[in-house]
Amino acid sequence: MSTESIPVPHASPTTSKSKAQAPEVLTGSGAILRSLEHLGIKDVFGLPGGAIMPFYDELMSSTTIRHILVRHEQGAGHAAEGYASSSGRIGVCIATSGPGATNLVTAIADAHMDSVPLLAITGQVFSTSMGTDAFQEVDIVGITMPVTKHSFLVTRPEDVPATIAAAYLIATTGRPGPVLVDVTKDAQQNSAPFIWPPKVDLPGYHPVTKAHGKQIQAAAHLLAEAKRPVFYVGGGVIRSGASAELLALAEATGAPVVTTLMARGAFPDSHKQHLGMPGMHGTVPAVLAIQESDLLISLGARFDDRVTGKASEFAPGAKVVHVDIDPAEISKIRVADVPIVGDAKDVIADLTLAYAEAIKKHKPDITEWWTRLEYLLNEFPLGFEEPEDGLLSPQGVIQRIGELTGPEGVYAAGVGQHQMWAAQFIKYERPNAFLNSGGAGTMGYGVPAAMGAKVAQPDRTVWAIDGDGCFQMTNQELATCAINKIPIKVAIINNSSLGMVRQWQTLFYDGRHAFTDLNTGADTVMIPDFVKLAEAYGCLAIRVTKKEEVDAAIMLANETNDRPVVIDFIVSRDAMVWPMVPQGVGNSSVQYARDNAPKWEEE
């Protein structure tokens, strides 16, 4: 179906106007609020300032929209991301002009990289002042154009409803992503009739969701004939809500499945066909299965460099079926033998049917393939060694958080070693359970994303798994959580350093640990003391230094729902993320452990 004329959500009967009545006259600010109400928005995250103040004055009157006042605009953006990624609904963040808007840019770029549906609303200086370097004037439309699906500038109040409706449509259809709407202060203050569009007309914007039948048939025949097929599953499967369809296809074919960092939970970890996560810190079975495959069926994945390693050596003997809703991704990194543009949910369902027809003519046999894969699974299981310095094992701590919380929890990770360990050692059985910054790799993502997820999913236990470096970038949102009664749990995996950078320095820079010590953990003066800091923010704060204390602390956190909980786990700084494929080499060079440490090659 074309999206050039797609109906948009409409107001409830209590706010709708009959055809006989004249349109209601509203200020531009009132029109923004009414538009959000028409779209069914229930929660927004923001921070007021001069250029957005007229809208905030209107927002006070809303009885249906909850505004959560953050302590930093970046927190608003990441909270909106966490809200969207955990629920599948659009996330909304609001900021003023100038630095307020630029503080959103990191989160907007993050949402762009990870295909998160996001609506960012910013105030702008008076239209008559634009271009004069007015106070807090920044061309946020120009700044964000490369990292949004689209950015709008609104200078007239009558344009507000159609623009907000278009922004919602663009953000939530096709490949999801962020859209920014910048509204001048005079457009917010002036008035015009409020006319909500019955449909949105966007000439030229028509994402393809239904794939070409001949391409589906070609893919099905390749799958039926393959001896060593692998389903390479990316975040697009989660964004499209295609997990049930994926499970049906995988079980129909019997082929192995690997799930990328952004797709963790798209296919159950407990399923016998799941090989784990591929890529730089993927499991050995997942990495080598792709390398040795003769057919790679890529579903909603974009062949990211952290998955492919040296692209010219990625899956060298495989034919490629590439399914993606974004035609720009098809053959961008690896030329597809069968390119399929379409929504993963529809394509996978069609492929399952086509495969059932294809195997009537050719009976597949992948018995020898599974013999090889089962050898890899038995020979190279994920695991870790207890540290020799007497401190906690970070992998063990994260594993216990997952085991004691269970698959119904939500886990938001910062970026670095703890992110990889959270991807490896927590078992994900459902989509939208693991939230992280994949493409942008944004430190500071974890705490505000967990906050947003808890707002969207109040009945779920939500953990932020953070490093001591990430935590210090956005921990001010603990105040937001405490005041707004958003009881997230925060696990600080405190190795007193920028752990992933330190790991690379150990392996590739002869152990020269340049500027990566943070002085937050063992044998330091603890600046800051995370327990005191968390208590100052109104949280329950715990420090854990012994293995026998880990379970009790996690269980206490899970039982505490009247305030946020912060646990400072003092872990070994020498722990490393394994397996590992060094940057610039092929995935066949995957290293299982520290022995025979890898060499780093430039592209």
Side-chain angles (χ1 to χ4, degrees):
M1 159 173 151
S2 170
T3 55
E4 290 186 12
S5 298
I6 290 184
V8 294
H10 203 275
S12 64
T14 58
T15 58
S16 297
K17 293 292 180 182
S18 69
K19 293 181 179 179
Q21 292 177 300
E24 185 179 10
V25 176
L26 297 175
T27 63
S29 294
I32 297 172
L33 179 58
R34 184 62 55 82
S35 298
L36 295 177
E37 290 173 342
H38 272 259
L39 294 170
I41 303 301
K42 300 299 182 186
D43 305 282
V44 298
F45 304 87
L47 189 70
I52 197 67
M53 203 178 298
F55 171 67
Y56 269 90
D57 191 55
E58 289 282 353
L59 186 56
M60 285 187 68
S61 66
S62 179
T63 59
T64 61
I65 296 178
R66 178 189 185 189
H67 176 270
I68 296 170
L69 176 64
V70 298
R71 270 45 185 176
H72 192 288
E73 292 90 353
Q74 183 178 347
H78 291 319
E81 284 190 277
Y83 186 97
S85 296
S86 65
S87 67
R89 306 191 299 271
I90 193 170
V92 180
C93 53
I94 304 166
T96 192
S97 63
T102 58
N103 280 343
L104 284 178
V105 172
T106 294
I108 291 171
D110 193 280
H112 181 66
M113 291 287 281
D114 289 345
S115 305
V116 179
L118 190 74
L119 173 59
I121 299 173
T122 54
Q124 183 55 273
V125 301
F126 286 91
S127 61
T128 53
S129 299
M130 292 181 68
T132 68
D133 294 329
F135 177 67
Q136 291 192 332
E137 180 191 358
V138 160
D139 178 12
I140 195 63
V141 169
I143 288 172
T144 58
M145 191 64 79
V147 292
T148 56
K149 287 189 73 177
H150 194 65
S151 294
F152 294 92
L153 173 64
V154 180
T155 60
R156 305 188 310 165
E158 55 264 40
D159 295 335
V160 167
T163 303
I164 296 289
Y168 178 90
L169 178 68
I170 294 169
T172 57
T173 58
R175 180 179 181 173
V179 177
L180 179 130
V181 178
D182 193 35
V183 189
T184 61
K185 193 168 184 178
D186 50 322
Q188 295 174 57
Q189 292 177 336
N190 295 336
S191 299
F194 180 86
I195 302 174
W196 185 250
K199 61 183 180 180
V200 177
D201 294 316
L202 296 173
Y205 180 72
H206 42 82
V208 175
T209 58
K210 199 71 173 174
H212 196 287
K214 288 186 177 180
Q215 297 299 88
I216 296 287
Q217 291 176 6
H221 284 296
L222 285 179
L223 185 53
E225 295 170 359
K227 298 295 185 183
R228 299 185 305 278
V230 174
F231 287 113
Y232 161 34
V233 177
V237 170
I238 288 180
R239 297 290 183 248
S240 69
S243 292
E245 288 76 9
L246 172 63
L247 181 62
L249 175 61
E251 291 186 338
T253 63
V257 178
V258 302
T259 53
T260 67
L261 182 70
M262 295 306 301
R264 300 291 291 113
F267 191 78
D269 278 355
S270 60
H271 199 285
K272 62 183 180 180
Q273 289 170 238
H274 191 239
L275 303 183
M277 181 177 73
M280 177 175 279
H281 293 296
T283 66
V284 172
V287 171
L288 293 184
I290 288 178
Q291 289 302 95
E292 298 173 16
S293 66
D294 64 359
L295 178 65
L296 198 59
I297 307 99
S298 174
L299 303 172
R302 58 187 181 86
F303 292 79
D304 178 76
D305 64 281
R306 286 303 192 259
V307 171
T308 65
K310 194 171 185 177
S312 61
E313 298 178 13
F314 181 67
K319 291 184 177 179
V320 172
V321 174
H322 192 175
V323 177
D324 205 289
I325 198 165
D326 185 354
E329 293 296 342
I330 303 290
S331 296
K332 184 176 78 174
I333 306 297
R334 173 69 174 267
V335 174
D337 297 277
V338 180
I340 301 177
V341 178
D343 183 82
K345 190 179 183 74
D346 292 336
V347 172
I348 294 171
D350 289 346
L351 182 56
T352 303
L353 294 175
Y355 177 78
E357 290 298 314
I359 60 175
K360 293 177 180 178
K361 298 178 181 179
H362 187 283
K363 186 173 178 60
D365 183 5
I366 55 174
T367 306
E368 289 187 12
W369 183 220
W370 270 110
T371 299
R372 167 63 173 162
L373 297 177
E374 286 168 359
Y375 166 79
L376 292 174
L377 286 166
N378 291 327
E379 189 71 14
F380 301 104
L382 267 177
F384 58 90
E385 296 180 354
E386 291 294 333
E388 297 179 356
D389 55 14
L391 298 176
L392 295 174
S393 158
Q395 303 97 319
V397 168
I398 292 170
Q399 185 174 49
R400 290 303 289 158
I401 290 172
E403 290 170 348
L404 293 173
T405 305
E408 294 304 313
V410 176
Y411 307 88
V415 169
Q417 289 180 312
H418 59 281
Q419 175 192 26
M420 295 299 105
W421 289 322
Q424 292 175 333
F425 291 101
I426 294 177
K427 300 303 179 185
Y428 300 101
E429 299 296 315
R430 62 178 190 87
N432 303 317
F434 181 48
L435 318 179
N436 76 114
S437 171
T442 304
M443 292 180 68
Y445 172 91
V447 169
M451 176 175 70
K454 185 64 176 177
V455 173
Q457 305 274 283
D459 296 328
R460 294 190 185 276
T461 299
V462 180
W463 278 91
I465 297 174
D466 230 348
D468 48 315
C470 285
F471 181 70
Q472 292 186 79
M473 294 192 174
T474 50
N475 62 47
Q476 68 273 5
E477 301 310 334
L478 289 174
T480 308
C481 291
I483 291 170
N484 290 279
K485 302 188 184 306
I486 306 170
I488 65 170
K489 331 295 181 187
V490 181
I492 306 174
I493 308 302
N494 185 355
N495 61 5
S496 195
S497 66
L498 299 171
M500 188 62 86
V501 181
R502 179 185 172 89
Q503 175 169 333
W504 281 48
Q505 289 172 337
T506 299
L507 295 175
F508 307 125
Y509 291 87
D510 297 325
R512 297 187 298 277
H513 299 133
F515 310 107
T516 48
D517 290 335
L518 294 178
N519 298 307
T520 56
D523 301 323
T524 75
V525 292
M526 291 190 176
I527 300 177
D529 183 320
F530 290 136
V531 168
K532 292 180 179 177
L533 180 67
E535 289 174 344
Y537 276 130
C539 304
L540 171 63
I542 308 167
R543 178 170 291 118
V544 176
T545 60
K546 299 177 182 178
K547 185 176 180 180
E548 57 267 26
E549 300 169 344
V550 169
D551 282 13
I554 296 170
M555 289 188 287
L556 177 59
N558 284 340
E559 294 164 1
T560 302
N561 291 301
D562 61 342
R563 51 184 163 157
V565 181
V566 175
I567 308 179
D568 183 18
F569 290 103
I570 307 299
V571 304
S572 174
R573 68 168 53 191
D574 294 325
M576 292 193 186
V577 183
W578 298 104
M580 182 177 183
V581 179
Q583 187 175 13
V585 304
N587 281 354
S588 297
S589 300
V590 60
Q591 298 291 322
Y592 184 58
R594 179 71 187 273
D595 295 341
N596 302 315
K599 295 181 180 180
W600 183 18
E601 296 181 11
E602 295 287 356
E603 291 277 11

